[in-house]
Amino acid sequence: MYIPPSDPRRPAKVTAGQLCELCHARKALVKRPKNLQKVCKLCFFHVFETEIHNTIMENKLFQRGERVAVGASGGKDSTVLAYILKLLNERHDYGLEIVLLSIDEGIVGYRDDSLATVKRNQEQYGLPLKIVSYKDLYDWTMDEIVACAGMRNSCTYCGVFRRQALDRGAAMLDIHHVVTGHNADDMAETVLMNILRGDVARLEKSTAILTQSSGSPVKRSKPFKYAYQKEIVLYAHYKKLDYFSTECSYAPEAFRGTARELMKNLEAVRPSCIIDIIHSGEALRLRPRPKKRAPPPGSVEIRADGSASLFRNEGFVDGNRCERCGYLSSNRICKACMLLEGLEKNRARVQIADDTSTEGAARLTRTLEKLHF
Amino acid sequence: MKCKRCTTSEGCLVSRNETFCGECFSRFVLLKFRKQMMMDEYCQQVFKVLYADKHRTAVEADEQNKRSVVLVPLSLGSSSLAMLDLLNQTLSEQRAAHNRTGFQVKVVLCGFSADMDELKRLAESLQTERLAMNSDCIKLYLLDLDRSFSTCEIHKLLLANDNHGSRKIATRENATLSSILDQFSRRSSRDDMLWFARQHLIKKFASQHQVKVIMWGHSVTRLADEVMSLVIKGRGAQIAATLDSTGMDVEYGALFKNLYPLRDVLLSEIDAYCSLSKLQRYIYNYSLQGSLFIKSQDEAAQANRAVPMAKNMTINELTRQYFDAVEKDYSNVISTIVRTASKLDYPISNGTEVIYCSICNNRVYVDPSKWLKSITVNNCHPPASDEDMSMLQMWESSSKGKETLARNQARSNIWSTAAEAPLCYGCVVTLNETKDRELNWPSREHDVSQVLAEFTLTDEE
């Protein structure tokens, strides 16, 4: 039977079943994955913003008069975070001074475009912006690193360097609190990854909303700990926020990719699984290790392979610093310095002047991958 | 290629990068099983043949051997069947060496009424063909899952509309397990609830039959699934209790221990063991994988095996599928998960009172209602415009609106009088999926021995 198309000028009549389950007065547009509730746009804004506010208050994330740096990449999470922090700061009078802090990894064709978004956000929200680049800090761009060390390990280098760069950027601004846009999906993925990899050292802390080391002046917090990525995207979409939505052009970490795929399948079967995983993560606690009998003072342990440490390792000391750069490290030399040392060894001795061949290597690879005959 | 262990026989399968002949492989599985079985003093006292010593007289030792009862929950899948076969071998060896046995085995086979005839036939043939030599110390019981809940009290569990709090009221409705499970629309939730019901019956049986150890047939693969699934379902707090083989099961009166003697053996290895031991004919509702055999026995069957759609799969099946996919590139992921999970401790409880979930019987450490309340907002942006108000009026006068308001009113009336029914977080989420957020569920206290009586296959007592 022929059904004539509906007239777009005359909106279809809303039935009682289509209404928001909270206000019953407007048409539902969003189905919340957290509790399967169908809500309208205004109720969605209300619950989303209030939940972030509740998370901030419940965990006492901020102090009045505090200066906080929002780790801004130009992506959906950090854009929504900057927007919502400014909004809540004004609405609830947190008394915060918010600054945008961006890291320029030096990935031509990706980061340059996303930084342009951050610069637009800076103007839109009227917030100061500080950009710290890998080139200035380490004398390497990610494009150069990939050209030297290959694409396979790109996330290892980038992750280690970014963590330090954020802290250094905050220190340059004399800010002691960095807020990042890690959402519930990221958090759940981390919990799964730590179990799959058997990373016992990180297992208990994988769901911590506020991380702070006694030796570091910079603390980090994640106000989006309980916010679903889907809801963040919807919020940005309905609020018409300006964000950059391209994935990093370098290869994602392969094992993390498998966990992400598993989570996607799980969400289809159990939409609440992300928050469920976080609930589980909060309950994970390690059994205390049986105490080893201490060796006599002054003794040197000879390992099975015949080696021995002359200076006995006293174990992890919170607040320990890297001998080379002075950054926080659990070892004598921090991971970033180790990676840089490896890179320097492989740096080409002779270079072509003003060589730009490494720029946009990732973009070039992606373009070549898409070519077909 | 020759077997790497005996170096004389021809190898027929490869496991853990090592070529085995059939005999050496069976021995390898048996030794893994024995190692776990004798893991501590308590288990050694249960399984060993005891003699008179400075602690006991000969009569006491004999009595203790008879009182060492272990329970094997048999599903007639590969793992539990392999475990029963390994136990049978142990008994035969004890009989040959000592002319007596150190322990008695009770086997419980659970199934729905519709499957009972087939289960009974398989159990009888298993008993006459494989277990005949030790028939005096292995007793088989059939447990009809449908009938097992017919005699017990049923409660209606209610979840508050905003998920904050739960209550229970008595109901006169009769329920079979099938009808209880029909209340869930998702297969995953149904399977979870079936597992809780089955586990409860088995543990109840153990506590009523003076069982010292329950021997679960879980392979390391199955345990890894279980750990991941518990995390995914928000039941991370239960991992320590689930894997605890050292302490007594306090939730059932600290009368027995839960043991996983096959926790060092992969499912593919157990399947290979079943094929080598010719146990295929007793297997029910499961198909053995032959992936370890050098000349794969069922290549054609493996190739034709349909891949189910992710949406129709349970959480456990999805995690199993994930392991199958990553096992090639990250081979130790399964054992890593179980090793990591065994390092976990019981969570610290928020309150001083010990509370158990009304559905799954697991201990509740954090009040799920409070937790959900702290992260979820349930109030609305108030209707503002005239259009909003007219829509609200339309909803209030509609049948859906009236129904919702009446239901909310009825629930708030019940709330003040009904008894509290504590639930764990995982069960709150599952209950939230049901229609009207309510569930008929059997009460914890009931006697399973009545249901067993007429189905006991070999009870000579």
Side-chain angles (χ1 to χ4, degrees):
Chain A
M1 201 182 80
Y2 171 73
I3 301 166
S6 56
D7 185 354
R9 284 165 302 179
R10 213 182 319 154
K13 205 179 166 210
V14 179
T15 61
Q18 292 174 310
L19 289 171
C20 168
E21 287 178 16
L22 286 176
C23 66
H24 310 296
R26 291 173 290 260
K27 193 180 172 185
L29 284 179
V30 179
K31 187 174 180 182
R32 301 199 71 197
K34 202 185 265 182
N35 52 8
L36 311 177
Q37 230 168 23
K38 290 173 193 150
V39 292
C40 67
K41 199 155 79 173
L42 288 179
C43 286
F44 171 63
F45 290 156
H46 168 73
V47 294
F48 185 82
E49 288 159 7
T50 317
E51 280 172 11
I52 305 298
H53 169 66
N54 289 352
T55 307
I56 290 170
M57 299 314 284
E58 187 109 345
N59 295 286
K60 299 185 181 72
L61 293 190
F62 304 126
Q63 283 159 4
R64 201 167 176 78
E66 198 176 5
R67 294 179 73 216
V68 293
V70 176
S73 66
K76 55 187 183 336
D77 299 312
S78 57
T79 305
V80 173
L81 181 64
Y83 174 85
I84 218 161
L85 266 192
K86 182 178 153 61
L87 180 92
L88 295 176
N89 189 29
E90 285 162 9
R91 184 183 292 168
H92 300 285
D93 191 23
Y94 293 158
L96 295 180
E97 192 184 319
I98 304 166
V99 180
L100 298 177
L101 174 59
S102 286
I103 307 299
D104 181 4
E105 296 94 344
I107 305 174
V108 175
Y110 167 68
R111 185 50 86 210
D112 41 1
D113 292 346
S114 67
L115 282 177
T117 316
V118 181
K119 284 173 191 159
R120 285 199 301 277
N121 288 342
Q122 177 202 3
E123 285 165 24
Q124 287 155 1
Y125 308 149
L127 297 171
L129 167 69
K130 167 86 183 163
I131 300 176
V132 183
S133 73
Y134 279 10
K135 188 73 185 168
D136 293 343
L137 288 178
Y138 311 110
D139 195 25
W140 284 88
T141 65
M142 266 317 285
D143 281 340
E144 286 167 356
I145 291 171
V146 170
C148 179
M151 206 187 275
R152 217 178 128 76
N153 302 321
S154 54
C155 291
T156 312
Y157 287 96
C158 197
V160 172
F161 290 156
R162 192 184 308 108
R163 194 178 164 79
Q164 260 201 27
L166 271 175
D167 279 7
R168 285 173 193 263
M172 283 176 202
L173 294 165
D174 195 26
I175 288 177
H176 305 300
H177 191 167
V178 176
V179 187
T180 55
H182 288 94
N183 56 42
D185 297 47
D186 299 328
M187 195 87 93
E189 202 177 283
T190 308
V191 174
L192 286 189
M193 288 290 295
N194 287 342
I195 297 171
L196 290 169
R197 282 199 292 225
D199 197 338
V200 186
R202 292 199 175 91
L203 202 58
E204 281 179 319
K205 287 184 192 161
S206 44
T207 52
I209 191 165
L210 191 76
T211 44
Q212 194 170 19
S213 168
S214 65
S216 166
V218 182
K219 61 179 176 181
R220 284 153 182 271
S221 61
K222 300 166 185 144
F224 283 170
K225 178 184 171 184
Y226 299 111
Y228 274 66
Q229 191 179 52
K230 266 184 196 163
E231 293 197 350
I232 293 172
V233 176
L234 282 170
Y235 187 84
H237 171 73
Y238 286 126
K239 284 276 181 187
K240 295 190 174 61
L241 300 185
D242 180 7
Y243 68 91
F244 183 74
S245 62
T246 309
E247 282 276 315
C248 173
S249 34
Y250 288 121
E253 199 191 336
F255 193 48
R256 191 172 276 273
T258 65
R260 203 165 282 179
E261 183 69 22
L262 170 68
M263 287 235 314
K264 214 172 75 186
N265 287 337
L266 291 170
E267 261 194 281
V269 178
R270 190 180 171 105
S272 66
C273 77
I274 286 167
I275 222 78
D276 301 347
I277 294 172
I278 296 177
H279 184 271
S280 290
E282 288 182 2
L284 299 182
R285 199 171 73 90
L286 289 172
R287 202 179 310 132
R289 275 192 197 171
K291 272 188 186 164
K292 281 184 188 168
R293 219 182 302 154
S299 65
V300 176
E301 185 194 343
I302 310 291
R303 296 190 200 96
D305 60 356
S307 65
S309 317
L310 293 177
F311 304 99
R312 196 149 51 85
N313 188 9
E314 295 297 332
F316 175 74
V317 181
D318 197 11
N320 201 27
R321 299 212 161 254
C322 169
E323 281 178 5
R324 288 191 195 162
C325 67
Y327 183 70
L328 215 62
S329 166
S330 51
N331 297 313
R332 214 157 51 83
I333 295 165
C334 73
K335 185 81 181 159
C337 286
M338 301 263 269
L339 292 175
L340 281 172
E341 191 181 290
L343 283 171
E344 286 301 338
K345 275 183 193 158
N346 293 315
R347 199 198 278 268
R349 299 247 168 88
V350 183
Q351 277 180 325
I352 305 165
D354 301 325
D355 179 25
T356 54
S357 63
T358 55
E359 277 183 14
R363 186 171 51 182
L364 180 68
T365 314
R366 291 282 164 265
T367 318
L368 287 172
E369 272 173 7
K370 281 176 196 159
L371 280 183
H372 63 277
F373 301 97
Chain B
M1 199 186 282
K2 294 280 181 210
C3 168
K4 217 175 168 183
R5 298 261 163 132
C6 64
T7 63
T8 50
S9 308
E10 200 59 35
C12 65
L13 58 89
V14 178
S15 179
R16 308 182 193 205
N17 297 326
E18 200 178 324
T19 309
F20 287 93
C21 66
E23 206 175 313
C24 288
F25 184 74
S26 298
R27 183 96 198 133
F28 164 76
V29 175
L30 179 70
L31 290 178
K32 292 262 175 212
F33 169 78
R34 288 270 171 86
K35 186 185 155 205
Q36 283 297 327
M37 206 170 112
M38 295 295 183
M39 63 175 287
D40 62 12
E41 181 68 26
Y42 178 88
C43 290
Q44 286 168 15
Q45 289 291 319
V46 171
F47 292 108
K48 269 187 181 171
V49 180
L50 298 176
Y51 285 97
D53 56 14
K54 59 183 175 185
H55 300 296
R56 54 186 82 81
T57 64
V59 180
E60 281 169 348
D62 227 26
E63 191 57 34
Q64 209 166 332
N65 285 334
K66 276 185 193 148
R67 275 192 281 118
S68 294
V69 181
V70 300
L71 179 71
V72 175
L74 187 68
S75 63
L76 289 181
S78 62
S79 305
S80 57
L81 201 55
M83 196 177 63
L84 185 59
D85 190 65
L86 291 164
L87 267 181
N88 188 39
Q89 272 187 55
T90 310
L91 284 170
S92 301
E93 281 176 26
Q94 285 188 345
R95 204 180 285 276
H98 304 270
N99 204 20
R100 65 180 89 175
T101 60
F103 59 97
Q104 308 285 313
V105 183
K106 286 185 190 287
V107 182
V108 173
L109 185 52
C110 299
F112 286 104
S113 303
D115 306 324
M116 267 303 147
D117 290 341
E118 181 60 10
L119 290 176
K120 198 169 179 180
R121 187 188 68 74
L122 286 170
E124 277 168 353
S125 55
L126 181 68
Q127 199 171 25
T128 50
E129 290 160 19
R130 307 287 297 224
L131 311 173
M133 206 183 139
N134 296 308
S135 58
D136 58 327
C137 45
I138 299 182
K139 290 193 175 65
L140 265 150
Y141 299 84
L142 280 172
L143 199 62
D144 187 333
L145 290 169
D146 276 323
R147 286 169 52 97
S148 54
F149 290 109
S150 58
T151 51
C152 75
E153 200 184 336
I154 301 285
H155 284 138
K156 192 185 277 288
L157 295 166
L158 307 162
L159 189 66
N161 287 330
D162 52 4
N163 291 355
H164 306 157
S166 46
R167 295 282 187 277
K168 68 176 175 190
I169 48 172
T171 170
R172 288 197 183 130
E173 290 170 39
N174 282 333
T176 60
L177 187 60
S178 305
S179 71
I180 289 172
L181 297 177
D182 284 343
Q183 297 170 96
F184 297 96
S185 54
R186 288 177 203 266
R187 232 188 100 219
S188 194
S189 311
R190 253 199 319 266
D191 270 23
D192 286 350
M193 293 297 137
L194 173 59
W195 169 243
F196 293 140
R198 199 191 284 256
Q199 188 178 241
H200 170 65
L201 283 177
I202 290 165
K203 289 190 174 180
K204 198 81 192 169
F205 178 92
S207 59
Q208 287 173 359
H209 287 78
Q210 288 78 46
V211 166
K212 297 267 172 65
V213 177
I214 302 184
M215 302 186 77
W216 301 95
H218 297 46
S219 60
V220 64
T221 318
R222 167 77 202 277
L223 282 175
D225 286 359
E226 197 61 36
V227 169
M228 287 303 284
S229 307
L230 286 173
V231 171
I232 292 160
K233 292 169 197 162
R235 298 178 184 274
Q238 295 164 18
I239 296 175
T242 307
L243 294 187
D244 189 359
S245 293
T246 50
M248 306 298 275
D249 194 321
V250 284
E251 281 150 35
Y252 286 82
L255 298 167
F256 54 84
K257 262 189 182 188
N258 293 293
L259 197 65
Y260 301 97
L262 292 175
R263 67 187 295 167
D264 289 339
V265 189
L266 291 162
L267 183 64
S268 51
E269 291 170 338
I270 291 176
D271 284 7
Y273 175 86
C274 285
S275 300
L276 290 168
S277 311
K278 303 201 167 32
L279 291 167
Q280 300 99 314
R281 46 191 301 235
Y282 309 107
I283 281 178
Y284 184 65
N285 247 346
Y286 178 79
S287 52
L288 294 178
Q289 347 163 6
S291 52
L292 297 186
F293 288 100
I294 294 170
K295 286 176 192 159
S296 191
Q297 295 180 334
D298 55 353
E299 257 171 31
Q302 300 268 351
N304 292 336
R305 198 173 282 175
V307 180
M309 264 175 63
K311 248 192 158 165
N312 295 333
M313 291 168 81
T314 64
I315 303 273
N316 290 58
E317 285 168 350
L318 277 169
T319 47
R320 176 71 58 85
Q321 191 191 46
Y322 171 74
F323 293 145
D324 289 344
V326 297
E327 220 181 350
K328 273 183 209 150
D329 298 327
Y330 309 95
S331 57
N332 48 4
V333 75
I334 289 174
S335 52
T336 305
I337 292 169
V338 178
R339 209 177 41 244
T340 312
S342 13
K343 289 178 186 161
L344 292 175
D345 203 355
Y346 290 83
I348 298 166
S349 177
N350 277 358
T352 46
E353 201 186 343
V354 179
I355 301 167
Y356 291 99
C357 172
S358 307
I359 295 180
C360 67
N361 289 350
N362 281 298
R363 191 168 163 195
V364 183
Y365 292 94
V366 175
D367 182 354
S369 312
K370 266 191 200 158
W371 192 81
L372 281 167
K373 203 173 183 175
S374 69
I375 63 159
T376 323
V377 170
N378 271 311
N379 51 27
C380 67
H381 184 277
S385 66
D386 292 344
E387 197 189 344
D388 289 355
M389 295 313 286
S390 69
M391 284 281 197
L392 182 58
Q393 276 170 6
M394 184 270 280
W395 181 80
E396 280 169 348
S397 55
S398 71
S399 59
K400 188 179 169 64
K402 281 177 188 162
E403 208 178 282
T404 312
L405 290 170
R407 198 175 49 237
N408 290 352
Q409 185 58 46
R411 192 146 292 191
S412 60
N413 291 344
I414 292 171
W415 227 244
S416 50
T417 52
E420 265 194 55
L423 293 177
C424 69
Y425 176 82
C427 287
V428 167
V429 176
T430 314
L431 195 50
N432 192 33
E433 284 172 17
T434 57
K435 194 172 172 273
D436 298 335
R437 294 191 177 96
E438 57 185 47
L439 170 74
N440 286 338
W441 191 252
S443 137
R444 267 187 88 181
E445 301 308 321
H446 77 285
D447 188 5
V448 283
S449 46
Q450 286 175 5
V451 194
L452 281 173
E454 58 187 284
F455 288 99
T456 308
L457 284 179
T458 51
D459 206 346
E460 288 151 13
E461 288 163 334

